[in-house]
């Protein structure tokens, strides 16, 4: 509206919905126009083709308006804490980093160019690495932008795609193996009884992945917005995952459901779900650590905390905007130290 107050551009493009994408050749000819979110890789390929055509015709690509130059953003969106190191996924640089607890980088995985290429660290490409999980010999990376589950071998640093075709999938059943099984923007990972649980927010489901056979299949969540019966487990946009267990509380899977503004507890013994905390402003990460549960409320912005083993304990503020938080999206802890990936502030906070 600020650049098209009289809706002249909207009218000429016949844009009847937002978002709306239009592509033009260097001579001004419109080549494509459509509402909706385009497929990222196809859009990039189309832009590259138009630029190549322009260069062939002796025309240079011109950027009509650049408000100011700024340094590339890091966009930290996942952090994994281990006893002697940290792993950090950065969407802005399309990379995964290995660091010590003081923040010094020891290894970097990814060339910095977006893509789905495997191989040695300098040749790897990620699109939007969104979740990390430590296994004995590997670190798993859920690449939400490439719709894949990638494995980094700890010793060599070599990467391999363990699941996902590289294209967004609408499959709500699964059952295929490795690269034959499509995924849809995996956003969280959790180790559970020898398997890996991955959250796929667009499908409103949690899936299980077997590292031994590399099979992936739907596990929890009907995929529908509303349950057909009281027994149905329904999610709106599951993001963060954590396990809670303790005397008198039982084993529960905690799910930060960003679409429902709630943290949901799933009784795994009976596969029944209940809302444990409601009214949380877009929770995207949940962490169970040393008797407490921590929740990243990205739209708070706040880090909330509660007693893990007290069913009626409310979430209370721990850190907020007054501490500098802008949009916290991931949590990790070791001992008394908590790390917070804040994509809005473009930093990783460390807190006692």
């Amino acid at each position: 509206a600020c650049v098209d107050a009289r809706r002249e551009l909207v009218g000429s493009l016949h844009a009847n919905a937002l978002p709306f994408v239009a592509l033009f050749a260097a001579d001004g000819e419109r080549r494509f126009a459509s509402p909706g979110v385009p497929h990222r890789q196809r859009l990039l390929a189309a832009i590259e083709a138009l630029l190549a055509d322009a260069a062939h015709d002796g025309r240079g690509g011109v950027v009509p308006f650049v408000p100011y130059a700024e340094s590339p953003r890091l966009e930290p969106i996942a952090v994994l804490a281990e006893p002697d190191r940290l792993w950090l996924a950065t969407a802005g640089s399309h990379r995964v980093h290995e660091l010590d607890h003081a923040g010094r980088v020891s290894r970097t995985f990814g060339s910095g160019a977006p893509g789905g290429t495997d191989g040695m660290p300098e040749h790897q490409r990620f699109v939007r690495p969104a979740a990390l999980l430590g296994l004995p010999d590997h670190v798993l990376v859920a690449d939400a932008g490439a719709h894949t589950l990638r494995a980094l071998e700890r010793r060599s640093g070599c990467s391999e795609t363990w699941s996902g075709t590289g294209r967004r999938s609408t499959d709500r059943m699964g059952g295929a193996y490795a690269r034959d099984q499509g995924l849809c923007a995996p956003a969280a990972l959790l180790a559970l009884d020898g398997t890996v649980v991955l959250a796929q927010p667009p499908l409103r489901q949690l899936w299980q992945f077997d590292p031994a056979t590399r099979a992936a299949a739907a596990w929890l969540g009907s995929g529908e917005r509303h349950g057909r019966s009281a027994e149905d487990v329904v999610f709106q946009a599951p993001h963060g995952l954590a396990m809670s267990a303790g005397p008198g509380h039982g084993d529960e899977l905690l799910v930060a459901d960003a679409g429902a503004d709630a943290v949901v507890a799933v009784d795994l013994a009976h596969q029944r779900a209940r809302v444990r905390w409601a009214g949380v402003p877009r929770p995207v990460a949940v962490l169970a650590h040393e008797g407490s549960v921590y929740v990243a409320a990205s739209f708070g912005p706040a880090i909330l905390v509660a007693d893990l083993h007290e069913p009626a304990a409310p979430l209370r503020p721990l850190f907020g905007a007054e501490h500098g938080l802008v949009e916290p999206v991931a949590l990790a802890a070791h001992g008394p130290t908590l790390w917070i990936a804040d994509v809005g502030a473009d930093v990783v906070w460390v807190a006692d």
Side-chain angles (χ1 to χ4, degrees), residues 32-110:
F32 173 82
S34 175
V37 179
H39 187 283
R40 180 186 178 90
Q41 296 303 322
R42 292 176 183 171
L43 176 62
L44 292 175
I47 293 173
E48 290 296 331
L50 289 174
L51 291 174
D53 289 345
H56 182 268
D57 295 337
R59 297 172 180 267
V62 177
V63 178
F65 173 68
V66 180
Y68 57 89
E70 59 179 355
S71 59
R73 286 176 57 86
L74 195 66
E75 294 185 26
I77 57 173
V79 59
L80 167 66
E82 296 181 327
D84 59 346
R85 72 195 69 190
L86 295 174
W87 298 82
L88 179 67
T90 56
S93 65
H94 315 289
R95 289 186 170 110
V96 175
H97 307 275
E98 181 183 2
L99 315 88
D100 63 19
H101 283 191
R104 292 182 290 266
V105 177
S106 57
R107 285 193 294 179
T108 292
F109 303 83

Side-chain angles (χ1 to χ4, degrees), residues 17-330:
L18 292 176
F20 189 90
V21 176
L23 295 179
F24 295 85
D27 60 3
E29 179 186 355
R30 186 174 68 182
R31 296 290 183 85
F32 173 82
S34 175
V37 179
H39 187 283
R40 180 186 178 90
Q41 296 303 322
R42 292 176 183 171
L43 176 62
L44 292 175
I47 293 173
E48 290 296 331
L50 289 174
L51 291 174
D53 289 345
H56 182 268
D57 295 337
R59 297 172 180 267
V62 177
V63 178
F65 173 68
V66 180
Y68 57 89
E70 59 179 355
S71 59
R73 286 176 57 86
L74 195 66
E75 294 185 26
I77 57 173
V79 59
L80 167 66
E82 296 181 327
D84 59 346
R85 72 195 69 190
L86 295 174
W87 298 82
L88 179 67
T90 56
S93 65
H94 315 289
R95 289 186 170 110
V96 175
H97 307 275
E98 181 183 2
L99 315 88
D100 63 19
H101 283 191
R104 292 182 290 266
V105 177
S106 57
R107 285 193 294 179
T108 292
F109 303 83
S111 67
T117 306
D118 284 319
M120 297 306 293
E122 63 274 17
H123 300 303
Q124 295 162 12
R125 290 189 176 190
F126 301 93
V127 179
R128 186 175 176 81
L132 301 165
L133 176 66
L135 297 179
D137 298 321
H138 298 84
V139 172
L140 292 189
V141 182
D143 193 333
H147 311 290
T148 54
L149 184 61
R150 314 272 291 279
L152 301 177
E153 187 181 38
R154 291 180 181 271
R155 182 178 57 82
S156 68
C158 188
S159 71
E160 183 183 3
T161 299
W162 278 11
S163 187
T165 64
R167 299 182 299 275
R168 183 185 180 101
S169 172
T170 59
D171 182 3
R172 284 192 166 91
M173 297 295 292
Y177 298 85
R179 289 174 176 259
D180 291 333
Q181 177 58 61
L183 301 177
C184 185
L189 299 171
L190 175 73
L192 179 65
D193 298 332
T195 67
V196 174
V197 179
L198 57 150
Q200 300 192 85
L203 298 183
R204 306 185 187 93
Q205 289 181 316
L206 305 183
W207 282 39
Q208 279 191 327
F209 171 79
D210 184 351
T213 64
R214 300 189 186 175
W219 179 47
L220 289 175
S222 65
E224 304 295 333
R225 291 185 179 276
H226 306 285
R228 298 181 181 181
S229 68
E231 288 75 28
D232 285 348
V233 177
V234 177
F235 303 112
Q236 300 304 318
H239 275 264
L241 302 171
M243 281 298 300
S244 70
H249 191 66
D251 291 342
E252 286 188 327
L253 173 65
L254 299 178
V255 182
D257 192 336
D261 287 343
V263 177
V264 177
V266 181
D267 179 350
L268 296 182
H270 304 91
Q271 292 200 348
R272 293 178 182 175
R274 63 184 176 89
V275 174
R276 185 161 182 186
W277 292 287
V280 183
R282 191 170 174 77
V284 292
V286 58
L287 171 70
H289 181 66
E290 295 186 348
S292 295
V293 58
Y294 301 87
V295 178
S298 61
F299 284 3
I303 304 301
L304 310 174
V305 64
D307 187 324
L308 182 62
H309 305 312
E310 176 53 53
L315 284 172
R316 64 182 189 277
L318 180 64
F319 301 113
E322 68 276 12
H323 297 92
L325 295 182
V326 178
E327 188 180 352
V329 294

